[in-house]
Amino acid sequence: MAKKPDKTSTQGKGEIVLYQSPDGKTSLEVRLDGDTLWLSQKQLSDLFQTERSVITKHLGNIFRSGELERNSVCAKFAHTAEDGKIYQTAFYNLDAIISVGYRVNSKRGKPLKQNRFFDP
């Protein structure tokens, strides 16, 4: 069972919620903005326990096939890196996250395919 999210306000820029996987092995800060959540490619690779290059490949295939349009599921947000610098980073919304989850060949993608990724 996933832990209840811890919310942190970002002063009008949405919320940051801490998600911990049911097995306790993965913890992510998830950006909530509007009516969806947003993850970077790095966060997607952490979530699905796979390499970032795999996430990049799947996103490219999703956009090339026309399943999703990049402009409707991708947004750039300012992100402070570990070095303290602020970068514009691409984040992907829940539609893209689910589409990637169906494609990844990992133990973490399997529960998503079985509709039990976010067990209550």
Side-chain angles (χ1 to χ4, degrees), residues 48-65:
F48 294 119
Q49 296 176 335
T50 191
E51 298 294 322
R52 186 169 175 250
S53 61
V54 173
I55 301 300
T56 302
K57 176 187 77 168
H58 287 310
L59 285 168
N61 290 338
I62 289 165
F63 299 139
R64 271 192 297 284
S65 72

Side-chain angles (χ1 to χ4, degrees), residues 4-47:
K4 281 193 166 185
D6 296 323
K7 294 183 180 181
T8 305
S9 174
T10 56
Q11 299 179 350
K13 298 179 185 176
E15 294 179 304
I16 302 296
V17 176
L18 181 62
Y19 165 78
Q20 186 166 358
S21 65
D23 61 12
K25 293 181 180 177
T26 303
S27 181
L28 295 172
E29 285 188 2
V30 178
R31 178 184 297 270
L32 297 177
D33 195 4
D35 60 351
T36 192
L37 59 96
W38 299 87
L39 296 178
S40 67
Q41 286 188 13
K42 166 86 171 81
Q43 290 172 307
L44 283 164
S45 69
D46 290 344
L47 178 65

